[in-house]
Amino acid sequence: PRAGLQVEVDPVSLEATAREPGSGVLRQMARLHANLLIPGRLGRQIIGWFGVAMLVLGVSGLVLWWPKRDRWRAAFVVKRGAGRLRLLRDLHGAVGIWTLLVFLLVTFSGVFLAFPQSTGAVIASVFPARDLRAAIFAARVEPRGGAERIGIDRAIELARAAIPDGRLVSVALPVRPEQPYRIGLLPADYAEGGPIAWVLIDPWSARVLEILHPRDYTTGETIMAWQHGLHEGAGLGPIWRGLVFMSGFLPPLFVVTGIWMWLLKRRARRVATSRYRAAAFAEAAD
């Protein structure tokens, strides 16, 4: 089926511009990051399993980095004037330990976005929580024969009355008679990119069906609600955004330094083996 259009409305002039959702370089880069440009669930699952592998590498790297009792200070720094192999090892280890928490948080949030149900079930097994996304989409209303469904303006008005300090960020229209309006509002005490409060509006009775507000979330629900913002570097200020931006350079850094160390060690082993064989041959010749 043909994809829908994205309509952007200028809040000042009210001028509307429609465009294909897949157009633009940034959009294509976002799709590459999210699903490798592979349509359907396959691409997202591949990205998700890459994330799982990165989590395993991060945890195993911590185990391999763990220093001996008298080496703790050296394990956090890059030694000045170190040789090539020592420099690579220090760079790999020191950068890794200083950025490990950000690396694991961003990677885990990516895995959550790829596998929200499976990862959410794991979180809920530790911290009791509802599947908020499923609850929002599963909400149903009872169509009334002969009644006229309220318009979008009235639905937004009811949502704003329920959460007066909220800023409108999302409106999901009902596409079937039994579906409610889903109005997303950003509470005043949350920054852009933070968890959204959802107000479900019955379009037939013009009443609020349910309010899902971040302040009422359980610990598990709060963890799940923050995953999107954590991954995008949103909702927690410029420092976190900067850290998330820098975390994008970590995988290539670890790959390059790791492969380089492996090649140097491999070459060193070959040289040592050649010298041993040469010495053994010379000894046998004597």
Side-chain angles (χ1 to χ4, degrees), residues 81-161:
R84 185 163 50 178
L85 181 59
R86 174 65 184 273
L87 175 64
L88 290 171
R89 185 170 64 244
D90 285 356
L91 189 64
H92 192 92
V95 173
I97 195 59
W98 282 109
T99 60
L100 181 64
L101 181 59
V102 175
F103 176 81
L104 292 179
L105 286 174
V106 174
T107 304
F108 178 82
S109 62
V111 174
F112 178 88
L113 297 177
F115 305 118
Q117 293 181 332
S118 301
T119 314
V122 173
I123 295 174
S125 67
V126 180
F127 304 101
R130 298 168 294 170
D131 187 336
L132 296 174
R133 189 169 180 269
I136 293 172
F137 282 96
R140 293 293 181 267
V141 297
E142 184 67 30
R144 297 186 177 185
E148 184 177 352
R149 189 163 57 184
I150 63 173
I152 185 172
D153 290 337
R154 177 59 176 155
I156 293 174
E157 181 183 340
L158 292 170
R160 282 178 164 166

Side-chain angles (χ1 to χ4, degrees), residues 36 46 63 114 159 170 198-199 211 217 271 281:
L36 295 177
I46 293 174
V63 175
S170 175
W198 291 97
V199 183
I211 300 175
Y217 290 171
V271 171
F281 179 79

Side-chain angles (χ1 to χ4, degrees), residues 33 54 57-58 88 90-108 240-259 261:
H33 181 80
M54 289 172 62
L57 290 174
L88 290 171
D90 285 356
L91 189 64
H92 192 92
V95 173
I97 195 59
W98 282 109
T99 60
L100 181 64
L101 181 59
V102 175
F103 176 81
L104 292 179
L105 286 174
V106 174
T107 304
F108 178 82
W240 176 251
R241 182 176 291 274
L243 290 173
V244 172
F245 172 77
M246 295 300 296
S247 72
F249 297 98
L250 295 177
L253 173 65
F254 295 149
V255 169
V256 170
T257 55
I259 292 178
M261 283 190 293

